[in-house]
């Protein structure tokens, strides 16, 4: 079974690379976003974790309020998040992002 787990992890890494996708996790109890190197690069960060507010600042002003509201709704309802928005990467470049997430509570009931 251990070999299967390694193979599954390797397949996941290959799938993420092929899709040019990154991963991220938000911990509401610490207000920190932890993200993969690819996601950090998309947002113009060298590394994570960073407070959610810093990530939101990178979202284009035209999209920021909507995305922030959707994040709050998703956390409140422990629902799903799916949004398209523009990001400024810190060097002035703008790119479109499709972000998908699912809010889940920890064993102690926190997000």
């Amino acid at each position: 079974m251990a070999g299967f787990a390694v193979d599954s992890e390797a397949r996941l890494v290959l799938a993420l690379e092929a899709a040019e996708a990154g991963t991220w996790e938000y911990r509401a109890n610490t207000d920190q976003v932890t993200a993969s190197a690819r996601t950090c690069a998309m947002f113009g960060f060298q590394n994570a974790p960073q407070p959610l507010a810093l990530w939101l600042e990178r979202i284009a002003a035209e999209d920021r309020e909507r995305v922030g509201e959707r994040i709050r709704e998703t956390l409140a309802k422990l629902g799903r998040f799916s949004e398209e928005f523009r990001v400024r990467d810190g060097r002035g470049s703008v790119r479109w992002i499709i972000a998908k997430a699912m809010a889940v509570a920890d064993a102690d009931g926190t997000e």
Side-chain angles (χ1 to χ4, degrees):
M1 192 66 168
F4 180 76
V6 171
D7 291 339
S8 294
E9 283 185 39
R11 284 193 296 272
L12 175 59
V13 168
L14 286 172
L16 288 169
E17 285 295 320
E20 295 182 341
T23 60
W24 59 281
E25 177 180 320
Y26 174 65
R27 294 258 176 207
N29 60 337
T30 61
D31 189 41
Q32 296 291 301
V33 175
T34 303
S36 65
R38 182 178 299 276
T39 300
C40 287
M42 285 186 227
F43 279 76
F45 290 117
Q46 295 298 313
N47 55 37
Q50 301 282 346
L52 179 60
L54 291 179
W55 290 84
L56 291 174
E57 286 176 8
R58 298 290 170 97
I59 296 174
E62 302 86 2
D63 302 331
R64 190 176 305 131
E65 185 176 334
R66 172 180 50 84
V67 172
E69 180 59 29
R70 284 289 297 124
I71 289 171
R72 287 186 289 281
E73 288 173 6
T74 300
L75 291 171
K77 296 177 183 177
L78 292 180
R80 292 186 181 269
F81 174 87
S82 181
E83 289 292 321
E84 290 185 44
F85 51 90
R86 291 159 287 192
V87 170
R88 300 191 192 289
D89 69 3
R91 295 184 308 265
S93 296
V94 176
R95 70 175 68 220
W96 279 93
I97 300 284
I98 299 172
K100 296 184 176 282
M102 182 173 67
V104 295
D106 289 343
D108 64 2
T110 62
E111 291 91 29

